[in-house]
Amino acid sequence: MKRRTRVLLIAGTALIIARNAFAGDWKLSLEPVFGSRIGTVGEYVFMQDADGKYQKLSELDWNQLPSFYIGYSADVSWKDIHLDGAFKAFVPSECGMMSDSDWLNLERHKDIYTKTNYSESDNYLDTRYSACAKLSYEFHADNHLSFAPVASFEYDYFSFTGKNGTAWYGKKDASTGLRNPYDSSDRTVYDFSGKTVISYKRTSCFTWIGFTLSFTPVECWKYSLSASVAPYIHTESQDHHYLTAYY
């Protein structure tokens, strides 16, 4: 956290110095950013069955209810060319629940409907930060309406840890080899109190192209509508099951 604070202070100081150097057609705007994010990060594992179809073998859901962030947003422009940059750092916190579901009968018995394993743990956000750079050119229809094509690049990294909780694992039937449902009477219940159960890390890079339509009825008051698509996304994910030493 101290390292993030130093980075934000250095960046802010550098931008303030740069602002004083701009004149004429050059402009620089700075603003602090803070807010929260609410949602669920999903992690899925699929397996190809005998018919060549991909079926869901495992699903992990990591809640953010909510997670809070702070950061900076800056816009450097020369005439109608804009270069925007933003950085967000999230506050480490407990932020909901992590649930882990498995359909283990799929591996050998093609059973895609029976949820055999289920567990719940407290979800902790360890680290999250993101950075974005955006380039645009603004066309003015009149003094109030403008249109800007936009291209941008975004980087995002986060890590979660699941602690404590309970697991319900269906026992295997000796005669059929099938595992029983996690919510049946023939199951094993595990208590994970005081234990670190699982962690999850994800690094993502996005390229975006799109447009922004803006309407400025009066000076210092602006409405904007943006739309974009991501033609290329690169993501790397890793989870670690501490109690089974499984990655």
Side-chain angles (χ1 to χ4, degrees):
M1 191 65 187
K2 292 182 179 180
R3 182 179 179 183
R4 293 197 206 107
T5 303
R6 287 198 297 268
V7 170
L8 290 172
L9 289 174
I10 292 172
T13 302
L15 289 171
I16 291 171
I17 294 173
R19 182 179 182 180
N20 296 328
F22 286 112
D25 293 326
W26 288 94
K27 294 181 180 179
L28 173 65
S29 64
L30 303 169
E31 61 181 14
V33 176
F34 60 91
S36 64
R37 182 167 295 180
I38 298 175
T40 301
V41 175
E43 179 190 2
Y44 305 91
V45 177
F46 292 88
M47 173 176 284
Q48 196 169 20
D49 63 16
D51 299 323
K53 298 180 180 180
Y54 284 93
Q55 307 290 353
K56 185 165 60 175
L57 178 66
S58 179
E59 176 181 347
L60 290 87
D61 294 310
W62 305 79
N63 291 336
Q64 298 181 81
L65 302 172
S67 54
F68 298 92
Y69 61 82
I70 57 173
Y72 277 105
S73 178
D75 174 70
V76 179
S77 63
W78 181 73
K79 295 186 177 180
D80 292 322
I81 301 174
H82 293 262
L83 178 61
D84 297 89
F87 177 81
K88 297 177 183 177
F90 286 72
V91 180
S93 63
E94 182 179 355
C95 59
M97 184 184 72
M98 187 286 300
S99 62
D100 185 358
S101 303
D102 296 309
W103 291 260
L104 298 183
N105 287 337
L106 170 64
E107 295 186 73
R108 295 185 180 180
H109 304 280
K110 304 179 184 178
D111 176 8
I112 64 174
Y113 302 106
T114 303
K115 184 189 292 190
T116 58
N117 293 3
Y118 180 71
S119 65
E120 295 179 349
S121 298
D122 299 324
N123 185 29
Y124 292 83
L125 174 63
D126 301 318
T127 305
R128 183 162 196 172
Y129 52 87
S130 62
C132 182
K134 179 171 63 176
L135 181 65
S136 62
Y137 185 90
E138 192 170 17
F139 296 91
H140 296 273
D142 53 36
N143 291 332
H144 304 288
L145 189 65
S146 66
F147 173 83
V150 178
S152 62
F153 174 82
E154 181 182 359
Y155 174 87
D156 183 70
Y157 171 83
F158 65 77
S159 65
F160 293 119
T161 298
K163 302 178 181 180
N164 309 312
T166 307
W168 301 267
Y169 295 165
K171 293 181 179 179
K172 183 181 291 187
D173 188 294
S175 60
T176 64
L178 289 168
R179 293 181 180 272
N180 289 289
Y182 79 95
D183 54 356
S184 69
S185 58
D186 196 9
R187 65 182 181 182
T188 303
V189 181
Y190 295 94
D191 182 6
F192 296 149
S193 298
K195 296 180 181 180
T196 298
V197 181
I198 187 173
S199 64
Y200 181 52
K201 301 177 182 179
R202 181 187 293 179
T203 302
S204 301
C205 297
F206 305 86
T207 56
W208 300 94
I209 54 174
F211 69 89
T212 297
L213 184 65
S214 300
F215 176 67
T216 309
V218 294
E219 189 176 359
C220 299
W221 196 277
K222 189 175 186 178
Y223 297 94
S224 296
L225 175 66
S226 298
S228 57
V229 295
Y232 176 76
I233 300 174
H234 177 79
T235 298
E236 294 183 4
S237 301
Q238 183 186 64
D239 64 15
H240 181 192
H241 297 252
Y242 290 94
L243 304 182
T244 58
Y246 175 76
Y247 285 87

